Amino acid sequence: MEPPAQDAEHTAERVEGAEPRPEADGLRASLVERLSAHGAIRSAAVERAMQTVPRHLFLPGVSLTQAYADVAIATHWERGAAVSSASQPTMVAIMLEQLDLQPGMRMLEIGAGTGYNAALLAELVGAEGSVTTLDIDPTIAEEARARLLSAGYERVRVLAADGAQGAPDFAPYDRIVLTAGAADISPAWVAQLVGGGLLVAPLRLGGAEASVALRKEQDSVLRSVSLTPCGFMRLRGAESAPEHVVTLANGWRLAGARAGEIGPEVARLLEMWPRRRFWARPSPFLPLYLGLDNTGFVYLWKETGRERRRPHGRFGLYAEGPDGPSLALLANVLPMLLTFGGSDAERELEAEVARWRALDFPSLESWQVTAYPRGSEPSTPASSANVRIQRRHYIFDVQLPDGKALS
């Protein structure tokens, strides 16, 4: 059941901590300078917003140095897994640029988190605009509400609600942004978005995840204007498609759509001596996985330290064929392929790599996505469409902009 929605202006008191801190100002300025130098910040408006909003006020208990480091910081955990965080500033800046916000716009954020991103949105839309942010967890929403008030952003409306339904009472919106990974697009989001408006969401496309900025066209069709690789915690609630994670007997953690089902077999395969093969050029990673069957896509890592990070993990594919179960893994720091068991996973992965090599490994940013409400999609993809991904609400056609086709 959805928790009741609440307005920020009437439910939280101001908290301490809003006093200027010269050390924080200097660290914030250095962070913004680095983000601009690396190209994450591209506009004066985003630069000004990130220079203005005090990130440390949204991260109580975190040192100033860490608060202004270019890292994501987990803030809430359930059963050993992080369920909420302050996103990496680089990714925050990239998504703000994707939104292309203008003063006076009406903004909906799904995933309030710490409240920091909502404060940035408020800076960008200005006094004539509006920001509504919501979170499915009432505790997280209340914390975001208090921190926004502390930092002086009392105009931001904070709701405790399931993001699947958006916030219809305050629609329509010029922009909608998700700060959690989704596998599909909720019809409610599209219904609440104005024609020509932008929806920016971390979407899982095949085995890849990308922050996609989609413009609403006629008949609720959405067409991308930008893509960039990303990695986000999963959306919770009615539109969740959670990442299944299991711990294997040998200490590895396995994530994937079928992790619970194939975990014992993957653990057995990992005990085998792998065949090794080095490629002559770097692995293409995320773009490569667009064409792979998402049900066989896996990610393996071992937890180290209290922050449960995923260092030096391996992406790959699990398959079952005539010669038995098979596993093919790519290290994410070396251009190395490891294969275990049968040959089906290796053959499928090699075939996909060969197709990408023929196209000179196009980056994920070069692709375009068209999202059709299910039932309204063309009977066959356009000639330039390389991948068609079917979800419950939307069908996604993914293609190269120059019309090249994967042969």
Side-chain angles (χ1 to χ4, degrees):
M1 185 175 70
E2 283 189 10
Q6 302 177 55
D7 286 350
E9 294 89 341
H10 307 295
T11 59
E13 297 179 355
R14 290 185 176 274
V15 297
E16 296 180 357
E19 301 87 359
R21 299 182 64 176
E23 183 184 358
D25 293 344
L27 290 169
R28 186 162 61 254
S30 296
L31 173 62
V32 171
E33 183 178 355
R34 293 196 302 274
L35 296 180
S36 298
H38 296 157
I41 293 177
R42 304 191 310 274
S43 67
V46 171
E47 180 180 8
R48 184 168 54 252
M50 297 197 75
Q51 189 70 262
T52 301
V53 179
R55 189 174 189 241
H56 67 280
L57 293 187
F58 297 88
L59 291 166
V62 173
S63 70
L64 285 177
T65 300
Q66 188 178 16
Y68 290 105
D70 190 23
V71 295
I73 300 173
T75 57
H76 290 81
W77 303 82
E78 287 185 3
R79 295 184 293 275
V83 295
S84 187
S85 70
S87 296
Q88 181 185 10
T90 287
M91 198 67 232
V92 170
I94 288 171
M95 293 179 76
L96 291 177
E97 295 287 5
Q98 285 185 294
L99 282 166
D100 188 27
L101 282 164
Q102 305 298 321
M105 282 187 168
R106 297 155 295 179
M107 180 76 223
L108 172 65
E109 178 189 37
I110 296 169
T114 65
Y116 172 65
N117 200 61
L120 293 167
L121 297 172
E123 287 288 340
L124 289 165
V125 302
E128 299 304 314
S130 67
V131 176
T132 300
T133 184
L134 53 85
D135 204 287
I136 194 171
D137 188 318
T139 299
I140 294 174
E142 182 60 33
E143 290 174 355
R145 184 179 296 119
R147 291 166 190 165
L148 283 160
L149 284 172
S150 168
Y153 294 95
E154 61 276 354
R155 291 185 299 104
V156 174
R157 180 183 295 110
V158 183
L159 311 176
D162 188 340
Q165 301 306 316
D169 290 347
F170 307 100
Y173 303 100
D174 301 293
R175 301 286 189 268
I176 298 176
V177 65
L178 273 69
T179 60
D184 201 357
I185 295 172
S186 168
W189 305 336
V190 182
Q192 293 168 34
L193 186 65
V194 301
L198 288 176
L199 167 68
V200 175
L203 292 175
R204 272 173 287 163
L205 302 169
E209 185 171 2
S211 176
V212 186
L214 295 152
R215 190 173 301 281
K216 181 179 177 180
E217 300 182 349
Q218 290 184 343
D219 302 319
S220 296
V221 172
L222 300 161
R223 198 175 309 274
S224 69
V225 296
S226 66
L227 290 84
T228 190
C230 69
F232 275 81
M233 295 174 188
R234 303 307 183 209
L235 184 71
R236 295 189 289 168
E239 287 296 332
S240 67
E243 180 182 51
H244 299 281
V245 178
V246 297
T247 301
L248 307 184
N250 50 17
W252 286 92
R253 298 269 282 172
L254 172 69
R258 298 173 59 201
E261 172 192 347
I262 66 177
E265 191 59 57
V266 169
R268 185 186 71 82
L269 290 171
L270 288 171
E271 296 297 330
M272 298 181 178
W273 188 261
R275 299 188 300 274
R276 290 180 172 85
R277 176 182 173 186
F278 285 85
W279 289 332
R281 54 186 308 171
S283 307
F285 300 121
L286 283 171
L288 162 69
Y289 297 115
L290 275 173
L292 294 178
D293 177 7
N294 195 42
T295 62
F297 181 78
V298 295
Y299 183 73
L300 283 148
W301 77 100
K302 283 190 175 181
E303 292 181 352
T304 59
R306 60 189 296 270
E307 294 183 7
R308 300 172 173 85
R309 290 176 291 181
R310 298 183 180 183
H312 310 308
R314 299 186 184 278
F315 296 88
L317 192 68
Y318 173 86
E320 296 171 343
D323 55 356
S326 58
L327 183 67
L329 298 174
L330 285 166
N332 65 3
V333 292
L334 292 172
M336 180 173 63
L337 174 68
L338 300 179
T339 63
F340 305 81
S343 58
D344 282 65
E346 180 181 3
R347 283 201 301 266
E348 185 173 345
L349 196 54
E350 286 281 4
E352 200 66 21
V353 169
R355 291 193 287 175
W356 285 103
R357 182 178 287 118
L359 289 172
D360 196 28
F361 292 133
S363 68
L364 187 69
E365 289 88 346
S366 67
W367 286 76
Q368 291 182 336
V369 177
T370 305
Y372 301 95
R374 194 174 182 93
S376 69
E377 73 277 7
S379 57
T380 57
S383 60
S384 59
N386 303 108
V387 181
R388 170 164 280 188
I389 300 165
Q390 301 193 35
R391 298 287 192 246
R392 182 160 62 104
H393 301 303
Y394 267 79
I395 304 295
F396 301 88
D397 279 354
V398 189
Q399 64 191 66
L400 284 171
D402 59 7
K404 290 181 180 178
L406 292 174
S407 57

